[in-house]
Amino acid sequence: MYLKNITLRGFKSFKNKSQLFFEPGISVIVGPNGSGKSNIADAISWVLGEQSPKSLRGNSMGDVIFRSKDEEMGIAEVSLMFDNSNKLFNTEFRDVKFTRRVFTRGGSEYFINSSPCRLIDIQELTADTGIGRGLYIIINQGQINEIAVLKPVERKTIIDEVLGISKHKNRRDKSLSKLQKVKNDVERIDDLMEEIKRTMDPLEIEAKRAQKHAEIFNLLKDEEISLFIIHLNHLNNEWESENESYRKNKDELKEISSKILSVEKEKDNFIKISNKKQNEYEFWKKKIDWFNSEKNRLESTIVLIESKKNVFSTLYNMFDLKFSSGMSNKNELKGPLEKDKNGIDISYLQKISNGLKRIDDLLLKFLENLKKTVKDKNTVDYVENEGNLIIEEIKKLHKIIGTSQRGKDAISKKEPQKGNEKQVDNFKKRLSRIRIIKNICMTNLERSRKIHSILNGYLSVSEDIKNKLYPEFERISNLISGSQDKINGLDSRINQLSISRSNLENNIYKIDLKKEQIKEKVEAITENIVDNYNLSIDYVLKSYSPSSDIKESEVKVKRFRNEIKKYGSVNPNASIEYNRIKKRFDFLADQSLDLVESKKNLEELIKDINERIADYFFKKFDEINQCFKNYFKILFPLGEGEMQFEKSDSESDDEIGVDLKVDIGNNKFVPLSLLSGGEKSLVSIAFLFSIYSINSSPFYVFDEVDASLDDVNISRFLTLVKKFSEKQQIIIITHQKRTMEVADTIYGVTMQSNGISKIISEKIGKKYAEVN
């Protein structure tokens, strides 16, 4: 297996995509200072998982991304392609490519053959292949000088890393960490067990006491529950008895309520009938009252007509008397003229005129009242016509009297007495007028008599109607009085039934109160059992039987309670707590045994790992020491060097160091710190190559390790490189021309003015150059 090519894009000075194609053997990368050739070694280390920016000659991982004054890349990407034809990588692919990307925004991505993966996936695939960080396959100039002056323990660490012993030590360290944890767990468990033991012993005594208390308590529970059941049965019997009384009273109450409803219904029917009769009674009473009122008015009217008839009769007699008197005085013309020409005093005529006016007004009112009271239209029309004729005659009479009065006034203004003849003519005319008035009065008198006769007929008819209506009215009145007596009897019946219902309701209330008391007693004794013993009633009734002897059970209950009081305060959970703690104690004891066994196994495992590491190291150390002697002889022909153990005060193998004893040709061993830079580099090269020869990697990268060597030492160094290149791929970054001469392939790296590195490759023996 070997590194076929490396592809860089945006990594440090390699902005554009650049590729280097390698072949087995020696590949040399050359270029002026600052051209970016060491960035190739950094790129290989970066892809294989280097996480320290300082190891990559930067301050942060973002420094590996290309930057210039004019632009900045957002991503850096490097890919390593390996030839896997010998299946060194545990995969079926012939070529395996590892890729790593980093972004300016932060974060990294890893790929295996372009498939996303994790860094640990790459590390697991490269494990046991000699490729990876910490295996010193990439050596730069600074490291080559440091290796020579390392402390012996640090130098041994390099041997462990290259030989692969470090991963076994890591396993051992993890086992030691587990062992320490197990020891701590054992100590903690022992402390817990001791603490639990101090708590468990008193709890055991308390648990036994609680157990005895529980036995007495269970006996008390059995007796109390037996008493509870028999009391409950007694209360249930009382409940059933009260329920039976309740049902009987309810039935009676229902029957009485039904009777009350029936009587009330009968009463309602009587009330409806009575109301109907009462309406008829009211109707007839109203009619009788109206009839009596109208009869009284009719009688008043008859009295009025009677008075008017007397008035007309009086007027007629008066005028008849005056007429007769006037006829006897017809020839007496010489009488005094102080009287009226008609022989009637003027004041008397005025009284007659006023009386006629009153008669006219009364007659009008009589006609209006008659229209309202008399329902017979023909009678009303007849009386109205006659009345109107009387009114017309009265108006005429009133007019005649008014004319006589005006004539007298006119004559009184003329000259007195113009002659007896003229007075005689006037007297005759007045007599004629008196005769007319007399006749009018007679006519009206006859008419008044006729109206009076008609009204008397109406009065007679009214009496007949009254005689027919009043017996029916009396009968209805008697029926109403009888209905009221019946209703009063029904009310009395309802009151009696209501009293009986009230008594039954009181009985039911007392029964309900009694049942409520029974219920409270049941709840009290039930609550006592449930609260004291946490048992359901269904379970109690199914699982327990009533007491056969109540007195004996009560005595036992009293005795058991006194015994429980003697125990005083008892922890009822003592047994549970003891069993729980005992269980935990037993569990911890089992855990302690398991941990002790695990501790023993870990100690054996660690001992086995230490023995294997020691055997492997000492075995390989002898081989490495022999190689170191040989390689030292090549690099220092007149000198002599070897590796020696340097033990510290600690007995641990990790504290063993490896010291280098070197004689560069002065026949004496000198401290490495007194050697020159070139001599230190050669000693470091001999040390590294002696390790490489025992546990080699597919390729090595040396970054200017020959910078401090002169031509003679370069030749000796190249002798080792040629020997190693027969089996391993060697990549050297150098300025030395002698080193370039041994190269199979030379790569040139140049830096352009814009700060971008470019690569030129050339194969020795062929006449071409290719610019990638």
Side-chain angles (χ1 to χ4, degrees):
M1 186 187 76
Y2 66 94
L3 178 63
K4 292 182 68 174
N5 66 67
I6 177 172
T7 303
L8 304 93
R9 180 170 67 90
F11 185 83
K12 289 194 173 182
S13 60
F14 293 93
K15 174 190 173 184
N16 301 321
K17 182 178 180 180
S18 303
Q19 285 185 313
L20 287 86
F21 295 91
F22 297 107
E23 297 288 345
I26 301 174
S27 298
V28 176
I29 300 173
V30 298
N33 290 331
S35 62
K37 57 184 180 297
S38 294
N39 291 339
I40 297 173
D42 293 339
I44 295 172
S45 177
W46 185 64
V47 173
L48 294 178
E50 181 58 59
Q51 300 296 319
S52 173
K54 291 183 179 180
S55 299
L56 301 174
R57 299 178 296 155
N59 294 323
S60 66
M61 198 56 70
D63 292 340
V64 303
I65 301 174
F66 173 81
R67 286 189 181 87
S68 67
K69 293 182 180 179
D70 300 328
E71 61 181 327
E72 178 179 351
M73 296 287 286
I75 183 175
E77 178 180 330
V78 178
S79 298
L80 301 179
M81 177 73 77
F82 290 93
D83 179 273
N84 191 35
S85 56
N86 60 354
K87 302 299 180 182
L88 186 60
F89 292 130
N90 186 21
T91 180
E92 60 183 3
F93 296 104
R94 182 178 180 84
D95 293 330
V96 177
K97 182 173 70 171
F98 300 132
T99 303
R100 182 177 181 181
R101 293 176 187 167
V102 68
F103 300 93
T104 304
R105 65 176 184 271
S108 296
E109 293 180 353
Y110 296 90
F111 300 86
I112 297 176
N113 287 348
S114 301
S115 297
C117 66
R118 302 168 298 170
L119 174 60
I120 192 172
D121 297 328
I122 296 176
Q123 292 174 344
E124 288 178 354
L125 189 61
T126 58
D128 299 326
T129 61
I131 299 175
R133 57 184 296 269
L135 296 179
Y136 293 90
I137 61 172
I138 302 173
I139 306 297
N140 56 43
Q141 183 178 1
Q143 284 180 307
I144 202 69
N145 291 327
E146 291 175 357
I147 290 172
V149 294
L150 289 175
K151 295 180 180 179
V153 174
E154 295 172 344
R155 197 174 291 117
K156 180 179 181 296
T157 301
I158 294 177
I159 297 174
D160 291 340
E161 291 283 352
V162 176
L163 294 179
I165 294 175
S166 295
K167 62 182 180 181
H168 298 292
K169 286 187 175 182
N170 291 334
R171 282 183 56 207
R172 182 197 63 188
D173 293 340
K174 290 180 180 179
S175 297
L176 286 171
S177 177
K178 289 181 180 180
L179 178 62
Q180 186 59 41
K181 186 176 181 300
V182 168
K183 289 180 179 179
N184 294 336
D185 291 341
V186 170
E187 292 177 358
R188 186 163 58 252
I189 287 175
D190 290 340
D191 294 339
L192 285 173
M193 289 176 67
E194 184 65 26
E195 184 68 26
I196 291 171
K197 192 73 168 61
R198 286 196 296 268
T199 305
M200 187 172 64
D201 292 341
L203 268 178
E204 185 177 4
I205 298 172
E206 187 68 22
K208 290 178 180 179
R209 187 165 173 268
Q211 184 177 3
K212 183 63 177 176
H213 178 275
E215 292 175 358
I216 299 174
F217 181 80
N218 289 332
L219 293 174
L220 175 62
K221 179 178 69 174
D222 293 340
E223 293 299 330
E224 277 199 331
I225 291 176
S226 297
L227 285 174
F228 160 75
I229 294 174
I230 196 167
H231 289 319
L232 184 64
N233 292 337
H234 176 69
L235 291 173
N236 285 336
N237 292 334
E238 289 186 8
W239 179 273
E240 291 298 328
S241 177
E242 295 297 330
N243 274 339
E244 184 65 26
S245 299
Y246 181 85
R247 283 192 292 271
K248 289 180 179 179
N249 283 277
K250 269 291 186 181
D251 293 339
E252 292 180 9
L253 179 62
K254 185 176 180 182
E255 183 179 355
I256 290 177
S257 297
S258 177
K259 288 180 180 180
I260 291 174
L261 290 175
S262 177
V263 174
E264 286 180 346
K265 185 176 181 181
E266 185 179 358
K267 175 186 171 183
D268 291 340
N269 292 333
F270 269 101
I271 288 174
K272 288 180 182 177
I273 295 171
S274 177
N275 288 337
K276 185 176 180 182
K277 292 179 179 179
Q278 182 69 31
N279 292 335
E280 292 179 3
Y281 171 79
E282 293 293 335
F283 172 76
W284 286 111
K285 185 176 182 301
K286 186 176 181 182
K287 289 295 183 182
I288 294 297
D289 292 341
W290 175 82
F291 183 82
N292 291 331
S293 175
E294 295 301 318
K295 178 184 175 184
N296 293 332
R297 291 177 64 184
L298 182 61
E299 290 176 349
S300 298
T301 304
I302 290 172
V303 172
L304 178 63
I305 294 298
E306 183 69 27
S307 66
K308 302 308 172 190
K309 185 181 73 170
N310 294 331
V311 170
F312 281 115
S313 178
T314 301
L315 288 174
Y316 176 79
N317 293 329
M318 182 185 68
F319 280 111
D320 183 58
L321 180 62
K322 293 298 181 182
F323 181 77
S324 299
S325 176
M327 289 299 294
S328 63
N329 295 325
K330 183 178 178 182
N331 294 320
E332 296 179 0
L333 297 173
K334 293 181 180 181
L337 297 173
E338 286 80 13
K339 294 192 177 188
D340 188 16
K341 303 300 194 279
N342 293 322
I344 303 174
D345 291 339
I346 296 304
S347 60
Y348 191 72
L349 289 174
Q350 184 67 39
K351 291 178 181 179
I352 293 172
S353 178
N354 293 336
L356 291 173
K357 185 180 288 186
R358 287 194 300 273
I359 292 170
D360 186 25
D361 293 336
L362 291 173
L363 192 58
L364 286 173
K365 289 183 179 179
F366 165 73
L367 291 175
E368 290 178 0
N369 293 330
L370 188 66
K371 287 181 182 179
K372 295 179 181 178
T373 57
V374 180
K375 300 300 180 181
D376 188 357
K377 190 172 184 296
N378 294 327
T379 303
V380 172
D381 292 340
Y382 173 75
V383 174
E384 187 177 6
N385 291 333
E386 292 297 327
N388 289 332
L389 290 175
I390 293 173
I391 291 170
E392 291 295 329
E393 292 297 331
I394 291 173
K395 288 180 179 179
K396 289 179 182 180
L397 182 60
H398 186 69
K399 187 176 180 182
I400 291 172
I401 293 173
T403 303
S404 298
Q405 207 173 3
R406 287 192 300 273
K408 181 261 176 185
D409 293 336
I411 292 172
S412 65
K413 292 179 182 181
K414 294 180 179 180
E415 295 179 0
Q417 298 183 0
K418 292 184 179 181
N420 291 331
E421 293 178 359
K422 190 173 182 180
Q423 290 180 357
V424 171
D425 291 335
N426 291 335
F427 186 73
K428 289 180 180 179
K429 289 180 182 179
R430 291 187 185 97
L431 287 177
S432 177
R433 290 172 183 168
I434 290 171
R435 187 183 299 111
I436 291 169
I437 292 170
K438 174 184 174 183
N439 292 333
I440 289 170
C441 290
M442 186 65 186
T443 301
N444 288 333
L445 178 61
E446 291 297 328
R447 287 174 178 168
S448 297
R449 287 173 180 171
K450 191 179 291 186
I451 291 171
H452 183 267
S453 176
I454 291 170
L455 292 177
N456 282 330
Y458 268 108
L459 182 62
S460 177
V461 172
S462 298
E463 287 295 331
D464 293 339
I465 292 171
K466 178 180 178 181
N467 293 331
K468 291 180 181 180
L469 294 179
Y470 194 75
E472 181 66 20
F473 173 73
E474 288 294 329
R475 185 184 67 82
I476 293 172
S477 177
N478 292 332
L479 288 174
I480 290 173
S481 178
S483 297
Q484 187 62 42
D485 292 339
K486 181 67 174 177
I487 290 171
N488 292 335
L490 292 175
D491 285 337
S492 177
R493 176 64 175 162
I494 289 172
N495 290 334
Q496 292 176 358
L497 292 174
S498 297
I499 292 171
S500 298
R501 182 174 65 181
S502 178
N503 292 332
L504 289 173
E505 288 177 348
N506 288 334
N507 292 336
I508 291 173
Y509 173 76
K510 290 178 181 178
I511 292 172
D512 287 336
L513 186 61
K514 180 66 174 177
K515 289 172 66 177
E516 190 66 29
Q517 291 174 352
I518 294 173
K519 185 177 178 181
E520 289 177 357
K521 290 180 180 179
V522 171
E523 289 179 352
I525 62 176
T526 302
E527 185 177 358
N528 181 54
I529 294 299
V530 172
D531 291 345
N532 290 341
Y533 303 114
N534 195 24
L535 297 175
S536 66
I537 299 303
D538 292 338
Y539 177 79
V540 167
L541 296 177
K542 290 179 181 179
S543 304
Y544 292 86
S545 58
S547 174
S548 58
D549 189 342
I550 297 177
K551 292 184 178 180
E552 184 180 355
S553 295
E554 290 177 348
V555 170
K556 288 182 179 180
V557 167
K558 186 175 181 181
R559 187 178 75 248
F560 291 149
R561 284 180 176 172
N562 291 332
E563 290 181 6
I564 287 176
K565 286 181 180 179
K566 292 178 182 179
Y567 278 91
S569 177
V570 176
N571 182 8
N573 298 320
S575 297
I576 298 173
E577 187 69 17
Y578 172 75
N579 292 331
R580 186 183 65 81
I581 293 178
K582 182 69 167 60
K583 183 178 179 180
R584 178 169 174 76
F585 182 83
D586 295 340
F587 172 76
L588 291 175
D590 294 339
Q591 291 293 313
S592 178
L593 292 176
D594 292 341
L595 288 173
V596 170
E597 184 67 23
S598 177
K599 175 185 173 185
K600 182 179 178 181
N601 294 333
L602 285 172
E603 289 175 345
E604 291 178 356
L605 176 63
I606 293 170
K607 181 180 179 182
D608 182 63
I609 292 174
N610 286 332
E611 289 176 355
R612 292 188 179 187
I613 289 174
D615 291 343
Y616 183 76
F617 176 78
F618 289 123
K619 179 181 177 182
K620 293 297 181 180
F621 179 79
D622 292 337
E623 297 177 6
I624 293 171
N625 191 20
Q626 186 61 43
C627 291
F628 178 74
K629 292 178 180 179
N630 295 333
Y631 293 149
F632 192 86
K633 199 69 173 175
I634 294 173
L635 296 175
F636 296 97
L638 299 178
E640 182 180 356
E642 66 174 342
M643 297 180 182
Q644 293 180 353
F645 290 121
E646 184 178 283
K647 291 187 177 182
S648 62
D649 297 335
S650 175
E651 296 180 356
S652 174
D653 292 338
D654 291 340
E655 300 300 327
I656 297 176
V658 176
D659 192 17
L660 300 179
K661 298 296 183 178
V662 296
D663 176 11
I664 60 174
N666 297 327
N667 293 323
K668 63 179 179 178
F669 293 105
V670 295
L672 294 178
S673 59
L674 299 178
L675 298 179
S676 65
E679 291 172 339
K680 290 178 182 178
S681 296
L682 289 176
V683 171
S684 297
I685 290 171
F687 173 74
L688 289 174
F689 274 66
S690 63
I691 302 173
Y692 294 159
S693 62
I694 302 303
N695 190 18
S696 61
S697 295
F699 72 95
Y700 294 97
V701 178
F702 299 118
D703 183 8
E704 297 186 17
V705 295
D706 57 353
S708 59
L709 301 179
D710 55 18
D711 291 342
V712 174
N713 289 327
I714 288 176
S715 298
R716 296 171 181 170
F717 165 68
L718 293 177
T719 301
L720 289 179
V721 170
K722 289 179 181 180
K723 184 177 181 181
F724 263 80
S725 65
E726 295 175 357
K727 294 181 179 180
Q728 282 82 29
Q729 183 182 24
I730 306 296
I731 300 171
I732 302 175
I733 300 171
T734 184
H735 292 291
Q736 301 292 340
K737 293 181 180 180
R738 296 291 302 275
T739 305
M740 300 177 193
E741 292 176 355
V742 301
D744 297 319
T745 306
I746 296 178
Y747 297 89
V749 179
T750 62
M751 176 67 72
Q752 297 177 339
S753 59
N754 55 6
I756 300 174
S757 298
K758 280 194 174 182
I759 299 173
I760 300 175
S761 64
E762 179 179 352
K763 287 187 178 181
I764 302 302
K766 294 185 179 181
K767 304 296 184 179
Y768 71 89
E770 179 182 358
V771 177
N772 295 322

